[in-house]
Amino acid sequence: MSDRPGGWTDDNRDDRYGRGSDSAQPEGARVMRHVQRHPAPPQQRPAPPQYPAPPQQRRPEPPRYADGYDDDAGYDNGYSDGQVYGGGNGGGRGYGGGDGGYVQGRPAPDWRRRIKIGALTLVVVVLAVSIGTYFWADSKLKREVDLSKVIERPGEGDGTNYLIVGSDSRAGMSAEDKKRLHTGSAEGKRTDSMMILHDGANGPTLVSLPRDSNVEIPTFVGSESGKTFKGTGRMVKLNAAYAEDGPELLVRTVEFNTGLHIDHYVEIGFGGFAKIVDAIGGVELDIPKAFKDKYSGADFQAGKQTLDGEQALAFVRTRHAFTSDLDRTKNQQKFLAALASQTATPSTILNPFKLYPTMGAGLDTLVVDKDMSLWDLGSMFFAMKGVTGGDGKSMNMPISGSTGGNLVWDKAKVKQLVQQLNNDEKVTVSGN
């Protein structure tokens, strides 16, 4: 029996009006199925329907009611708050960010910035390697010649003058090397070739000084003793000056007999010369006429051919196959120009597996003056390469005759040649 008015019971009430209230006061608003003032118990609360999220559509605001209710705690709009489409705190990608909007993906890479950083890194690496290589190579130079010991020197002219000496030094060579290269086993060292390389604005000029040149030994100061030796007008072969007191007296003798100031001195021995040639894989040379020399080991056919270190040394040392020492100096000029030209190429300079062995082979055996820098050595090398270019010139010292064993220089031509070199003019003087 119900105590409700009008005989109404729970069984016969109209479901359209909800549950109603036992209170005498009517309800403030009709209860809607999907809006509740208080959450239903977990076991009785129906599962909210799930709806697919439309692309790039913002989350709708919960409805507001006349009674001021605006809490969406019980409002299910069909959107998943970070459970399916993204994190609830807005940190995920895609839909459903914490701000209720669409969160864009990771920004496209800034390739300009990456290229700039890569280029800068490459420049830094190249500079570091270049600087390291410079100091490594500079430390290997043997600065053993002190040109400050040379007295009564002529004034400096325009351009730079190098005295390049090939010695018969056998330092560092084994008995097998001496036999293979046909150098013999003589003690000490003597000059095997001498050249003046002038590098100036009118192109490089290479002047060979025959070892049999007849020259005067002037007053000089001993390189070791420091004692002054007065000149007596003694005439000797040019290579005797080197044998008597080494590089310093050789420079003093060349300057005295030519009037040309020598800025730098460079010397290389037999072993170092052969190693440089082998390090670059040989030197291609066109030999116009076949010749053979049992003393140097030379045995060449006419035509183009690639010479290894042993063959190259035999080529520049051969003298018995020719009628005079002048032919020998021409061969030396030709080979050195070819060596420089084929070494200063991109295939050598840009290839570390070729560059470092070449530099190591050459620098280990070079003897230079104390003021010689690696930059000066590089300038000399490229000037040597330029000798074969259109502006370069190679020649022997002008000869007027001989004394029977020594070659006599043509003094008038030598004076004109030196004047042109000092003034850095184009050389018009011809040699033998």
Side-chain angles (χ1 to χ4, degrees), residues 164-360:
I164 304 172
V165 175
S167 76
D168 64 359
S169 172
R170 298 156 178 84
M173 296 176 61
S174 64
E176 179 62 27
D177 290 335
K178 294 175 184 178
K179 181 179 180 181
R180 177 175 60 87
L181 299 175
H182 302 274
T183 63
S185 300
E187 296 297 327
K189 59 180 181 179
R190 287 154 292 278
T191 54
D192 202 62
S193 60
M194 291 161 284
M195 304 177 186
I196 294 175
L197 175 64
H198 173 82
D199 186 20
N202 281 290
T205 301
L206 184 63
V207 183
S208 288
L209 308 175
R211 52 184 270 173
D212 294 339
S213 297
N214 195 52
V215 295
E216 180 182 345
I217 298 292
T219 298
F220 70 96
V221 175
S223 59
E224 298 294 335
S225 65
K227 181 180 178 181
T228 300
F229 297 89
K230 292 290 185 180
T232 60
R234 178 166 51 105
M235 305 297 293
V236 298
K237 291 182 178 182
L238 182 58
N239 63 344
Y242 182 95
E244 187 172 332
D245 198 52
E248 287 84 1
L249 179 55
L250 178 61
V251 172
R252 168 70 175 134
T253 302
V254 170
E255 289 187 340
F256 177 81
N257 286 269
T258 63
L260 188 68
H261 181 90
I262 300 299
D263 298 292
H264 293 294
Y265 177 92
V266 181
E267 176 186 325
I268 187 169
F270 283 163
F273 182 83
K275 287 180 180 178
I276 292 175
V277 175
D278 286 334
I280 66 170
V283 174
E284 186 180 55
L285 203 65
D286 188 2
I287 301 177
K289 184 178 180 181
F291 64 90
K292 188 174 182 179
D293 182 5
K294 66 177 182 178
Y295 296 100
S296 67
D299 187 1
F300 298 103
Q301 300 298 318
K304 287 186 177 182
Q305 50 204 288
T306 300
L307 278 58
D308 60 19
E310 178 182 348
Q311 294 170 321
L313 187 58
F315 181 82
V316 299
R317 292 186 62 222
T318 296
R319 56 190 309 234
H320 296 282
F322 308 120
T323 57
S324 74
D325 199 40
L326 297 178
D327 293 325
R328 177 172 175 264
T329 58
K330 291 178 181 178
N331 277 351
Q332 292 171 346
Q333 292 175 350
K334 182 176 182 178
F335 183 85
L336 289 179
L339 173 63
S341 179
Q342 295 174 41
T343 303
T345 61
S347 62
T348 299
I349 296 175
L350 300 179
N351 184 355
F353 299 101
K354 205 171 182 180
L355 175 63
Y356 285 96
T358 302
M359 293 181 66

Side-chain angles (χ1 to χ4, degrees), residues 149-173:
K149 295 180 180 179
V150 180
I151 62 173
E152 301 177 14
R153 308 190 67 185
E156 297 183 14
D158 296 329
T160 304
N161 299 313
Y162 302 86
L163 180 60
I164 304 172
V165 175
S167 76
D168 64 359
S169 172
R170 298 156 178 84
M173 296 176 61

Side-chain angles (χ1 to χ4, degrees), residues 91-107:
R93 296 177 61 184
Y95 300 102
D99 59 354
Y102 178 78
V103 180
Q104 295 291 338
R106 182 178 300 173

